[in-house]
Amino acid sequence: MKSQRSYVKCASRPMVIPEPGVPYPMLNVPPPKSHSMTEQVSSVFGLSFNADFLQEILAFPATAPQSDSSSTASSHGEKATVEPSAIVKSDLAELELPAKHGRSSLTRWLYHIAFSYYRKIFTVIFAANLIAFIVIVVKKDGHPLAPNMGTAASVNLMATLLFRQENFVNLLYEIAVACPHGAPLWLRRRLAKVFHYGGGHSGSGVAAVVWYIMYTAVLTRDFIADRSSKWAVANLATSYILVTMFCFILTAAHPVLRRRYHDYFEAGHRYSGWVALATFWMHSIFAANQYRVLEPGSPPSLGRYLINTASFWTFCISTGCSLLSWSRLRRHDVYPEILSSHAIRLHFKYRDMQPFYGLKVSTRPLLEWHAFATIPDDDGTGPGSKGFSIVVSNAGDWTRECITNPPTKLWIRGAPMHGLLYTSKLFKKIVVVATGSGIGPCLSLFYADVTPRRIFWSTPSPAVTYGKKIVDMVRKPDPDAWIWDTRTDGRPDMVAVTYKLVVESQAEAVFIISNPKLTRRVVYGMESRGIAAYGAIFDS
């Protein structure tokens, strides 16, 4: 007997949605209509979206074949309609994507994209620094002192490095997920945005550069007014070196340049930061010798002057953040498990690993690093067995080389660090969406088995590409998981399928691990309909 299917038309193309209990491998999905991928639409804030994604955001009415029942358009765009000839009643109500919330496409774009939590954190930090600058200028009658400006710059530099230090980031996550399930959902939804902490890193970094430019301007003013100090020239020279390094780092960190020249960005960011940190210490000594003689009474010694300044202690913390991470640099044995010509699983046996952690690995530790989510290994002896693994798929030069010539040793730096999926513990039930190798980070969540979940994985030839073991790891936590083979069944409408799973499971949130374009589309498609959705931040 032929299995029953419901056809739902979303985003102007029919999509097959199986009834509960119908195994996914039997699906035969008509291929979707192709869309031009070459038309790129530039947006503000350094982001760019292709035409498909912009259409989803602006909710332009899509052109669809006419049917006996005309579709109903809402004020937010065309609502999804069901083709009467293909309707098959299921135990759920007839599925139709609801209209997006908000008065217009502009208000939705502003709320969900332009004013993301990443940018909100950035704005709050920058606004706080602007207020501090106004206070300093007003208190000094329009003539701020160089030491005050330098202290503000050093505090922001410290915050910048803290937001990249593994232990500090883990602390932020632990504080966020400590919220109990009994707390209001609106609070838990906001705490789950903790992974936007990159806004703190970039906000503090930009503020530090602005402060230091103003600090150098004040130093230049003081040097022109009084050149009697023998330390003034060295102090001013190191200040301009720091300004140059900071401006270089800030320019290279722009999302467009960072994506296009990522390897150069990473190396430049690292070496410029090291030069700046070393120069900062020299500059602190030069500045202390220049300004300690201006103290009332007998000038204090260099050491006493330094330990009485806030900048000295913020520099100590900043330096400690960098040294702590690099002091954990180790080279460990790797045990590769070839899954296919597209993917490989790398096993490490030097330590146990709890779920929800990620690591940075490299073959060239001074040039490039690659972050991967870890999966606790279970070799049949039960949870806690020695070792962990990472799944690497062909996504670039480094990963391609890793698959072609499996490494036997890799460098690992820093402490294991929590990531996006750790915030899933805040919710009572979730839907996990992944495409391709995005299933790798999700395996750690499945292993933890903390939060009830439904799973939707869309990938070409899952069993061939990733192996039966990986497929079984997906089906174990959700026997009814939708594992969609795009090679035989075409590309599904990710927003519609995700929405159906949310309705079926009554989930509180959606977590997606995919490429930037699809992540933004699904997150926007859910959030614009009032469903909490979380995906990776690619410009953090």
Side-chain angles (χ1 to χ4, degrees):
M1 180 178 178
K2 183 180 292 186
S3 62
Q4 293 181 334
R5 301 173 184 172
S6 296
Y7 286 76
V8 178
K9 183 167 59 183
C10 300
S12 78
R13 63 179 182 268
M15 184 203 74
V16 177
I17 295 183
E19 298 303 321
V22 176
Y24 119 87
M26 300 302 296
L27 297 178
N28 183 17
V29 183
K33 297 179 180 179
S34 60
H35 298 278
S36 172
M37 294 294 290
T38 58
E39 297 181 3
Q40 296 292 323
V41 182
S42 298
S43 67
V44 296
F45 300 107
L47 295 176
S48 63
F49 306 98
N50 58 42
D52 289 347
F53 183 59
L54 191 65
Q55 177 175 332
E56 172 71 17
I57 292 175
L58 300 181
F60 288 143
T63 303
Q66 297 297 320
S67 62
D68 296 335
S69 299
S70 59
S71 59
T72 303
S74 69
S75 59
H76 306 296
E78 182 180 290
K79 294 176 67 176
T81 59
V82 179
E83 297 178 5
S85 60
I87 292 180
V88 178
K89 294 295 183 179
S90 68
D91 56 345
L92 289 176
E94 183 178 298
L95 178 66
E96 184 175 283
L97 276 175
K100 300 181 181 72
H101 296 178
R103 295 185 176 182
S104 67
S105 58
L106 176 61
T107 58
R108 289 194 298 272
W109 181 83
L110 290 173
Y111 183 79
H112 295 293
I113 298 176
F115 299 128
S116 65
Y117 273 76
Y118 180 96
R119 294 191 178 112
K120 288 177 182 177
I121 295 173
F122 181 100
T123 303
V124 167
I125 290 178
F126 202 82
N129 278 277
L130 180 61
I131 294 172
F133 172 72
I134 294 173
V135 171
I136 290 176
V137 171
V138 170
K139 287 181 66 175
K140 297 300 179 181
D141 298 324
H143 297 85
L145 299 179
N148 293 339
M149 309 289 278
T151 298
S154 64
V155 169
N156 278 278
L157 178 64
M158 177 189 69
T160 302
L161 294 176
L162 279 174
F163 279 112
R164 281 293 181 263
Q165 208 282 321
E166 298 90 357
N167 299 95
F168 182 77
V169 171
N170 287 341
L171 177 62
L172 295 180
Y173 273 102
E174 294 294 348
I175 293 173
V177 302
C179 182
H181 286 172
L185 180 58
W186 65 264
L187 176 61
R188 290 182 282 128
R189 289 176 64 162
R190 284 160 176 78
L191 287 174
K193 297 286 188 178
V194 66
F195 66 95
H196 287 256
Y197 65 85
H201 171 76
S202 57
S204 301
V206 173
V209 173
V210 174
W211 275 111
Y212 211 82
I213 290 174
M214 294 187 293
Y215 168 73
T216 304
V218 173
L219 275 184
T220 305
R221 180 201 65 187
D222 294 346
F223 177 76
I224 294 173
D226 182 13
R227 304 184 184 184
S228 59
S229 175
K230 63 180 181 180
W231 298 102
V233 175
N235 191 18
L236 190 63
T238 50
S239 294
Y240 276 98
I241 293 174
L242 284 169
V243 167
T244 302
M245 293 294 102
F246 287 155
C247 289
F248 178 77
I249 292 173
L250 196 62
T251 302
H254 189 276
V256 174
L257 296 176
R258 178 177 176 175
R259 286 192 296 267
R260 185 171 299 176
Y261 309 105
H262 185 268
D263 290 343
Y264 296 103
F265 153 76
E266 188 175 348
H269 205 74
R270 178 174 301 112
Y271 291 120
S272 298
W274 288 351
V275 170
L277 202 58
T279 307
F280 238 129
W281 278 106
M282 291 189 293
H283 175 74
S284 298
I285 295 173
F286 297 152
N289 279 316
Q290 179 178 352
Y291 288 105
R292 68 188 177 89
V293 298
L294 303 178
E295 292 289 310
S298 177
S301 64
L302 175 62
R304 182 173 294 276
Y305 181 85
L306 282 174
I307 64 174
N308 286 325
T309 61
S311 296
F312 172 79
W313 297 108
T314 57
F315 290 156
C316 287
I317 296 175
S318 299
T319 306
C321 288
S322 182
L323 291 178
L324 183 60
S325 178
W326 284 94
S327 67
R328 293 165 170 164
L329 179 66
R330 299 290 187 275
R331 197 178 187 211
H332 292 289
D333 292 329
V334 179
Y335 303 88
E337 176 189 355
I338 298 176
L339 304 177
S340 68
S341 60
H342 182 79
I344 189 172
R345 188 175 179 185
L346 304 179
H347 296 264
F348 300 83
K349 299 296 182 182
Y350 70 93
R351 61 162 291 174
D352 290 329
M353 186 68 69
Q354 296 299 315
F356 300 112
Y357 281 103
L359 277 178
K360 297 175 183 177
V361 300
S362 176
T363 53
R364 300 182 298 172
L366 296 180
L367 294 178
E368 60 180 349
W369 286 90
H370 305 270
F372 291 92
T374 63
I375 309 163
D377 273 349
D378 188 348
D379 299 324
T381 58
S385 59
K386 193 76 170 180
F388 63 94
S389 62
I390 62 176
V391 175
V392 180
S393 66
N394 190 351
D397 294 339
W398 189 88
T399 54
R400 188 181 306 114
E401 176 64 22
C402 192
I403 296 170
T404 305
N405 300 300
T408 57
K409 290 182 178 292
L410 280 176
W411 291 95
I412 294 179
R413 174 172 65 90
M417 190 166 69
H418 287 311
L420 162 69
L421 292 176
Y422 191 52
T423 60
S424 64
K425 296 174 68 174
L426 283 164
F427 301 101
K428 299 175 183 177
K429 185 175 291 187
I430 61 173
V431 170
V432 179
V433 180
T435 61
S437 60
I439 199 65
C442 302
L443 295 177
S444 181
L445 182 151
F446 303 158
Y447 180 92
D449 200 21
V450 175
T451 308
R453 73 210 66 78
R454 288 303 312 278
I455 301 170
F456 177 45
W457 180 26
S458 174
T459 186
S461 305
V464 174
T465 305
Y466 297 96
K468 183 178 182 299
K469 186 183 295 185
I470 297 294
V471 174
D472 290 343
M473 292 176 70
V474 175
R475 290 199 181 279
K476 182 179 179 180
D478 181 8
D480 296 323
W482 290 12
I483 308 178
W484 195 292
D485 188 344
T486 58
R487 187 150 294 163
T488 59
D489 300 332
R491 294 182 182 274
D493 189 319
M494 301 295 292
V495 175
V497 173
T498 302
Y499 179 75
K500 178 177 175 66
L501 285 175
V502 170
V503 173
E504 283 185 343
S505 62
Q506 295 297 298
E508 292 183 328
V510 171
F511 287 82
I512 177 169
I513 307 295
S514 183
N515 58 67
K517 171 191 170 184
L518 195 54
T519 296
R520 291 172 180 139
R521 177 179 292 175
V522 173
V523 169
Y524 175 81
M526 294 296 102
E527 289 193 334
S528 62
R529 293 175 172 89
I531 300 169
Y534 306 93
I537 302 298
F538 296 94
D539 294 324
S540 62

